[in-house]
Amino acid sequence: MEQYIIRGGRPLKGEVTISGAKNAALGILAAAVMTDEDVIIENLPDVRDINVMLEAITEISAKVDRMDRHTVRINGSTISDVAVDDEYIRRIRASYYFIGALLGKYRHASVPLPGGCNIGSRPIDQHIKGFKALGAEVRIEAGSVIAKADRLHSAHIYFDVVSVGATINVMLASVMAEGQTIIENAAKEPHIVDVANFLNSMGANIRGAGTDTIRIKGVQKLHGTEYAIIPDQIEAGTFMCMAAATRGDILIKNVIPKHLEAITAKLIEMGNEVEEYDEAVRVIGAETQRHTDIKTLPYPGFPTDMQPQISVALSLAEGTSMVTESIFENRFKYVDELARMGGNIKVEGNVAVIDGIDGFSGATVTSPDLRAGAALCIAALAADGYSTIEEVGYIQRGYEIFDEKITALGGLIKLVDSEQEAARFKLRVVG
Ligand code: EPZ
């Protein structure tokens, strides 16, 4: 089983370039099949979730031409099936975007119900509420969501919870519905705006994405387009926390600083230096950092996908910090792993109380999910001695060449899949 071996204790310094946003790309790839013309998508992150989504698109017989690692041409004219295979939903939840895309284009979709995952139960009741409001009949049969509509009409939908997935899925289902659909209490994440901009570049008529009220005027059909995905704010935030935790100095390039404001504000509160440029941020980790409190919220609040990473940086700050996870019910599983490295965090319900420590010591730890895995790597890079990170497949779902980017910053990390390889790496970086 592949692992990362990390020798910690060195400040990370240098430059890193951020890849395209995974969570924007997943919605955009589903939307791409909604036209029968060629769609070219650039700045795709080359990560497992994206590659699984492209396999799923091929599976329903759309044409997929990977022009290079970060560019794909898709043509949905040859789609012969509105049923997505169970394998794809089991591997990535975002396959559920095919419900909105296929329902929106063909008035029919059948997609396996996504399971829960390590961070919570993750229901899709708001997605289904939206589809029904548009006039679809939705039923659960043999573990799949089957949505069908003779016609899709305008609706005024008020989401009971702010949901990124439901906002994107209902946008997809309504772009070719009759009349105007209004979504209230919509999610405002940058990736919602990116999906809306992509659909508008295909001829859709979506206004208000990025606010809590989105208006979609149905159009007859969508045409081809060429589009580049926005940079990944969570990958950028991960490297910002890496600079803080290792007391390093990293210039993080190809970012939209506005998308990082909540993370920047907290790192500055902790005493770090953050310099903003047009398309980059520089984080200089302070030797002594202060505790602060975090509450995860929908954008523009502090992102839940950055909660494990900032908790690692807070573990290395002076004093006691409180981190409240208000989005998912089970997103502190990494705390037990951090304890093996000397972390001192107590979890009560959805609040983690973090007592700062002088430093982590290397240990063997297991990634419980994607962002927690990245956070454990940050802790290992700051730790004294060697660490082994297991279940790195989670990390590779959302971070492109994570080990190579860390190595380029002076980090000592190696992807290995045998004890011998691990030993050889340790010999090479002995001392
Ligand atoms: C997206 O998940 C992201 N995934 C998640 O990123 C991210 O953590 C999350 O948004 C919040 O920002 C993708 O975009 C592929 P939600 P999603 O619907 O859409 C509840 C990562 O690390 N809810 O915004 O599934 C839900 O239980 C991943 O890249 C309902 O109750 O999240 C949760 O408590 C992890 N009913 C809250 O809303 C619904 O129908 C927010 O979930 C839908 C959601």
Side-chain angles (χ1 to χ4, degrees), residues 22-23 96 122-126 163-165 305 327-328 371:
K22 163 179 85 81
N23 293 343
Y96 60 32
R122 306 185 76 181
I124 63 165
D125 56 300
Q126 299 300 302
S163 161
V164 167
D305 291 349
I327 307 290
F328 290 111
R371 305 301 176 185

Side-chain angles (χ1 to χ4, degrees), residues 359-394:
F360 288 115
S361 56
T364 295
V365 291
T366 303
S367 303
D369 62 68
L370 161 57
R371 305 301 176 185
L376 291 171
C377 289
I378 295 175
L381 288 163
D384 200 12
Y386 286 99
S387 296
T388 301
I389 314 288
E390 299 181 332
E391 298 295 333
V392 297
Y394 281 115

Side-chain angles (χ1 to χ4, degrees), residues 161-420:
V161 291
V162 175
S163 161
V164 167
T167 302
I168 290 176
N169 235 341
V170 169
M171 270 200 308
L172 295 173
S174 60
V175 283
M176 289 186 275
E178 294 157 31
Q180 171 171 270
T181 293
I182 299 174
I183 302 174
E184 307 266 12
N185 203 20
K188 301 183 272 195
E189 272 71 6
H191 29 295
I192 305 279
V193 178
D194 212 26
V195 174
N197 289 342
F198 174 73
L199 286 163
N200 284 341
S201 79
M202 294 169 78
N205 183 339
I206 302 172
R207 297 287 173 269
T211 75
D212 51 19
T213 303
I214 300 178
R215 286 175 170 72
I216 302 114
K217 282 198 180 119
V219 296
Q220 285 300 316
K221 67 193 289 269
L222 299 177
H223 54 70
T225 186
E226 282 196 34
Y227 194 84
I229 308 273
I230 55 167
D232 192 312
Q233 81 192 103
I234 304 302
E235 184 193 13
T238 301
F239 281 98
M240 292 170 78
C241 286
M242 207 179 281
T246 63
R247 280 38 182 176
D249 179 349
I250 303 179
L251 179 68
I252 299 149
K253 304 194 302 186
N254 188 36
V255 302
I256 299 172
K258 175 147 187 56
H259 293 167
L260 306 173
E261 281 177 350
I263 302 158
T264 297
K266 285 299 173 183
L267 289 177
I268 289 172
E269 270 177 42
M270 292 167 65
N272 298 290
E273 250 186 276
V274 181
E275 293 167 6
E276 284 190 3
Y277 303 95
D278 286 347
E279 297 180 343
V281 292
R282 179 182 175 194
V283 178
I284 302 165
E287 274 314 309
T288 306
Q289 297 180 25
R290 297 185 293 275
H291 61 89
T292 186
D293 296 335
I294 304 274
K295 179 170 186 174
T296 65
L297 287 169
Y299 189 81
F302 192 89
T304 174
D305 291 349
M306 280 300 305
Q307 181 260 99
Q309 299 94 309
I310 198 79
S311 294
V312 166
L314 288 168
S315 292
L316 299 171
E318 291 189 338
T320 300
S321 302
M322 305 255 299
V323 175
T324 304
E325 172 53 62
S326 68
I327 307 290
F328 290 111
E329 66 268 27
N330 189 18
R331 202 165 199 173
F332 286 121
K333 291 182 77 161
Y334 62 90
V335 165
D336 294 340
E337 298 303 306
L338 270 187
R340 298 161 61 81
M341 301 175 76
N344 189 351
I345 304 177
K346 285 179 282 306
V347 176
E348 294 287 330
N350 70 336
V351 177
V353 179
I354 301 173
D355 283 326
I357 58 174
D358 293 338
F360 288 115
S361 56
T364 295
V365 291
T366 303
S367 303
D369 62 68
L370 161 57
R371 305 301 176 185
L376 291 171
C377 289
I378 295 175
L381 288 163
D384 200 12
Y386 286 99
S387 296
T388 301
I389 314 288
E390 299 181 332
E391 298 295 333
V392 297
Y394 281 115
I395 301 169
Q396 292 164 336
R397 289 184 54 177
Y399 289 92
E400 181 177 335
I401 58 170
F402 196 51
D403 47 335
E404 292 175 35
K405 291 187 179 184
I406 290 169
T407 302
L409 292 168
L412 295 173
I413 179 172
K414 178 94 175 102
L415 178 65
V416 301
D417 60 10
S418 72
E419 287 300 317
Q420 294 73 10

Side-chain angles (χ1 to χ4, degrees), residues 25 27-42 44 54 57 62-67 70-77 79 105 195 197-203 222-229:
I28 284 170
L29 287 175
V33 306
M34 297 182 76
T35 174
D36 288 344
E37 299 176 16
D38 278 358
V39 166
I40 294 179
I41 299 165
E42 295 158 358
L44 266 183
L54 288 171
I57 292 172
K63 285 200 280 292
V64 175
D65 169 19
R66 195 70 178 261
M67 299 161 77
H70 301 121
T71 312
V72 69
R73 178 194 292 112
I74 291 173
N75 183 299
S77 61
I79 290 174
K105 182 180 184 184
V195 174
N197 289 342
F198 174 73
L199 286 163
N200 284 341
S201 79
M202 294 169 78
L222 299 177
H223 54 70
T225 186
E226 282 196 34
Y227 194 84
I229 308 273

